[in-house]
Amino acid sequence: MSKKETYVADIALLLEGTYPYVRGGVSSWVHQIISGLPELKFAVIFIGGEPEMYDKAQYQFPPNVTHFETHFLLDSKRYPTKSRRGNKKAFDEIGELHEQMRDQNAMPVETMMRAFKQLGAKNGVSHEDFLYSEASWDYITEQYRSRCTEPSFVDYFWAIRTMHAPLFVLTEIAKTLPKVKALHAISTGYAGLLGAMLRLQRGTPFILTEHGIYTKERKIDLAQATWIRDYNDDVSNTLHDEMGYIRGLWIKFFEQIGRMAYAQAAPIVSLYEGNRLRQIADGAPAEKTKVITNGINLPRYEKVLQVRKEGIPPVLGLVGRVVPIKDIKTFIRAMRALLDKLPEAEGWIVGPEDEDEDYVEECKELVRSLGLEGKVKFLGFQNVADILPQLGLMVLTSISEALPLVLLEAFASGLPCVATDVGSCRELIEGSGEDDRALGAAGRVVAIADPEATADAAYALLSDGAEWRAAQQAGLQRVKRYYDDQMMFAAYRQLYVDTLQTDSAPEAASGGR
Amino acid sequence: MAGIGFEIRKILERDSYWDVLKAYGYAGLVSGGPWVLSILGVMAIGVLAVVLGVAQTHVNAFQICVTYLMALSLIWTGGMQLMFTRFVADQAYAKAQADVLPNLMGVLLLTMAGGFLWSVPVVALMFSGSLLLRLLLIANFVVLSGLWLALIFLSGMKAYRRIVRTLATGYLLAILIALAFSRWQLEGLLTGVLIGHSYLLFAFLRHIIREYPGQTFLRFDFLERRKSFYSLFAVGTLYYLGVWVDKFIFWFVPYTSEPVIGPLRASIIYDLPIFLAYLFILPGMAVFLVRMEADFAEQYERFYRAVREGDTLMHIEYRRDQMVYTARQGIYEIFKVQGLTVVLCLLWGRDLLAAVGISPLYIYLFYIDVVAVSVQVLLMAILNVLFYLDARREVLVITLSFFLSNLVLTSATLFLGAETFGYGFAVSVTFSAFLGLFMLSQKFNRLEYETFMLQQ
């Protein structure tokens, strides 16, 4: 076709709540990929929650970012609140769709296409119709009557509203997005759904890479979410309804949109074998899945290794955002336990503190109440390369991880690690295949939320020079052999080239059972 | 439900006919009190002044002056009354009580000073009497304008008993001073009501200032509302225009009226029966107060609590049904009680007119006026429910229809002849009440939908 020049980019990266506004593993990975593949042009499509949640961009775009859009899912346009009838028929069709979502694992493509066509359309369910129409009200109340087991109608009502409002924003994005040759979502969720929408509407090839497992992380968030009211009266509470209806509704919603993304995406990439299996369990067709592991820029960390002084500094570093999922509190408690045996030890928490200020305050309060002032330090966001040579151990207490780059960075700069048994941490520390395992352990793996075990592992490594050095060598070997970023770039280069070549007509992926 | 509703409830719970009668009598006094006391007060001054030897022409002029002053001050302040009541309610909801008093001062300053500014040239140009008379007219108008605002504010505070007590004292004072000054004829009588009304204004203000905390003295926040609040202003003005427009028509059409003083005219045939009829709204007003302030307000509160505090949809609907039921019961009871009043007036109306010394020629007009003012009580009840539901658009439509239909139909009766007099007002108020019922029913049917889907 002669319209080649109208493409704004080769790859549109669909990013939910990360790059370029929020620092973290996924964001630095995205930056790495864009910088590592300078011959491709990228469009960055950022999808956030509310505008207030994000400050200015945290990354400077490499020159091959040719297009950038920012959208907010909860920045609902102010429509005049006016009563309206709404399209009864369109709501009936949405009802059918919901029925199918409940019944089946994978949805027929035609149903999905019809649903996306309805959304936001004038003759379907417009955003205003969804918000204000009688048809919408009738449908919501009917659903509540026949399904909701919880007392509060107002909670149900707002759950339904906040759950669906973003879909209308997504249809807007899909409508206005300039042409790109391929789509690449870095999570399922709303970004993945946008990918599925665009794939169905335009036939643009759609690649999905998952670092963490979005649905699982949402489940953790939702289990802790205090904005959902709990109705736990002792009379009606039985064992199986520990989770309220509305919490369950949210989880089912994310599972379902995750499945929609899996049905449309090809290939579906994960960072390690464990997550690949999880994707399959969550509905991803096995033949479309593949693993491309993360890699880091080795020469850069070689320099860091050279700066490292002789001896083992008694300093434990936790590099990551100060948020509940990193379980900073377990790290702090472990420091308390460790100090009894190793009084000269220190714990440094290195990472941005602006995401969850309440949690940051709780952590600092915990430090005070355990009498750890001066021993546990919050250093804020730092250049990791400056910090690494001063540490004696990298510690990761997360309750959920995918493939944490900090572990690779630690290995490459000659630093053993203690990490919880989450994501690919065990593979990273102990090795996955036979050859890999033969390299030895690059540290120790501990159970989640176990400060004692964490302290013991840290003590063992810090107090035994021989084990520490063996772990250092294992880490250095492993990262060089398996986690070189040049390998990752090559894999993605190949993947993009393959995708851009397959002239993906909208044969509309067979739904994928 | 605090205040009057609670007290009435307590009396009612004693459960004897005598107590029920007492409760409703009390409620009637409290709710219809201002109306009735002012009519009775002015009538008493007139009757006693004649006894004391004031010329009948002066007494007539006095009564007409007071009637005009009341009509014009009500129309002048009607919009502000509603707008300000809403402002106060919002402040109370937002727990910003400290802003209420300075804003009351603001609204008083605005209406009183504004009223002064426009009444001075009007009185100066249109009246040729003594300077004292003209000053008295202006002063009375300004004081009344302030008084209505203070009164509606106290009603909002549900200080009904104090209102009635103070009103009784105030009108007693007005009567005494008017009679003491009766040798100065019209000027003396007007001084009497001026002092009576001034006493009321200051007594009310004293009470308000003592009850409400406030740091600043003067604020005008009530004007900085979103535009929709001006619809309340329109509603208040239209309602009083609707109530008075038929009277004004009769006053200013030459063949039904005659000049009394300056530009002020009166309609002998029309005025007496209708003001007499207004004395018969007391039973309906009593029911109105009990049903609306006690029962409906409580059900309304329960409905919104169910919505806010997360009840099931079924329970919210049950609460809606209960609210509809109390509203329907209230309206039905007003209908019954006023119906009975109408029947009694039909039976004894002739004797009544004879007893007060009014020509039996007025009887048919009196009959239709009793019906009309009875329906007006119904209309007020319906508007009140709609106010609770914040149905500003509906209320605007109803008051507009009331004003326009009264204007058109009353004018029509002037062409149709004397036997149709009064029907204009009666048909207009009935039509508006039915329109109100229809809109109220619509509103109730869509209440949950509107409450959830159309909130701002």
Side-chain angles (χ1 to χ4, degrees), chain A residues 80-257:
Chain A
T81 30
K82 258 180 91 177
S83 76
R84 43 175 63 233
R85 283 231 183 279
N87 184 345
K88 185 96 179 92
K89 221 179 115 249
F91 277 95
D92 286 347
E93 278 189 36
I94 297 290
E96 263 171 58
L97 172 79
H98 281 151
E99 210 57 52
Q100 275 169 334
M101 285 173 103
R102 266 184 290 269
D103 288 355
Q104 299 170 256
N105 274 343
M107 206 181 307
V109 174
E110 313 79 62
T111 319
M112 234 190 285
M113 287 189 91
R114 226 180 33 225
F116 290 151
K117 212 174 275 170
Q118 296 275 15
L119 279 180
K122 279 264 178 293
N123 55 349
V125 176
S126 69
H127 198 178
E128 293 103 307
D129 273 359
F130 168 68
L131 290 174
Y132 307 126
S133 77
E134 288 172 41
S136 170
W137 168 254
D138 291 343
Y139 183 67
I140 291 172
T141 51
E142 186 193 301
Q143 290 296 307
Y144 170 83
R145 267 183 244 273
S146 59
R147 292 180 205 286
C148 187
T149 53
E150 260 169 50
S152 173
F153 175 69
V154 75
D155 290 355
Y156 175 83
F157 178 79
W158 281 106
I160 297 296
R161 283 211 157 191
T162 34
M163 196 178 288
H164 289 82
L167 303 185
F168 295 94
V169 180
L170 292 184
T171 52
E172 271 307 302
I173 303 174
K175 217 182 283 175
T176 54
L177 187 77
K179 276 175 96 175
V180 291
K181 292 181 188 162
L183 304 155
H184 187 183
I186 318 299
S187 68
T188 55
Y190 292 109
L193 185 62
L194 176 62
M197 248 181 213
L198 285 162
R199 162 91 177 89
L200 282 171
Q201 288 170 355
R202 302 187 184 179
T204 316
F206 168 39
I207 304 160
L208 174 66
T209 295
E210 277 195 281
H211 283 235
I213 296 294
Y214 186 96
T215 317
K216 184 182 139 214
E217 282 169 13
R218 281 295 85 72
K219 276 184 197 171
I220 295 172
D221 290 349
L222 285 163
Q224 298 170 338
T226 46
W227 49 268
I228 301 176
R229 257 196 271 201
D230 279 309
Y231 292 90
N232 288 331
D233 59 310
D234 295 333
V235 188
S236 65
N237 212 14
T238 54
L239 279 175
H240 64 269
D241 64 10
E242 272 169 48
M243 176 164 312
Y245 180 84
I246 290 171
R247 264 179 230 272
L249 198 66
W250 275 103
I251 288 169
K252 267 188 269 168
F253 173 78
F254 284 119
E255 283 174 350
Q256 194 51 252
I257 63 174

Side-chain angles (χ1 to χ4, degrees), chain A residues 254-275:
Chain A
F254 284 119
E255 283 174 350
Q256 194 51 252
I257 63 174
R259 271 199 285 269
M260 288 168 131
Y262 286 148
Q264 295 307 313
I268 298 167
V269 183
S270 52
L271 299 184
Y272 62 101
E273 186 59 16
N275 267 6

Side-chain angles (χ1 to χ4, degrees), chain B residues 92-113:
Chain B
Y93 189 77
K95 305 255 183 291
Q97 300 284 19
D99 286 343
V100 169
L101 191 62
N103 275 291
L104 178 69
M105 293 303 159
V107 81
L108 284 174
L109 182 73
L110 198 71
T111 44
M112 291 175 80

Side-chain angles (χ1 to χ4, degrees), chain A residues 368-380:
Chain A
R368 278 191 290 274
S369 68
L370 294 177
L372 294 173
E373 296 105 323
K375 283 295 182 181
V376 172
K377 296 173 181 165
F378 290 85
L379 301 185

Side-chain angles (χ1 to χ4, degrees), chain B residues 312-329:
Chain B
T312 61
L313 182 61
M314 302 66 167
H315 194 247
I316 291 170
E317 284 169 344
Y318 169 74
R319 283 279 146 235
R320 195 269 323 259
D321 291 345
Q322 287 297 304
M323 190 163 72
V324 173
Y325 177 76
T326 41
R328 196 192 294 152
Q329 282 297 307

Side-chain angles (χ1 to χ4, degrees), chain B residues 16-35:
Chain B
S16 81
Y17 281 119
W18 174 238
D19 285 318
V20 171
L21 212 60
K22 219 162 68 181
Y24 277 91
Y26 179 44
L29 201 65
V30 159
S31 58
W35 241 137

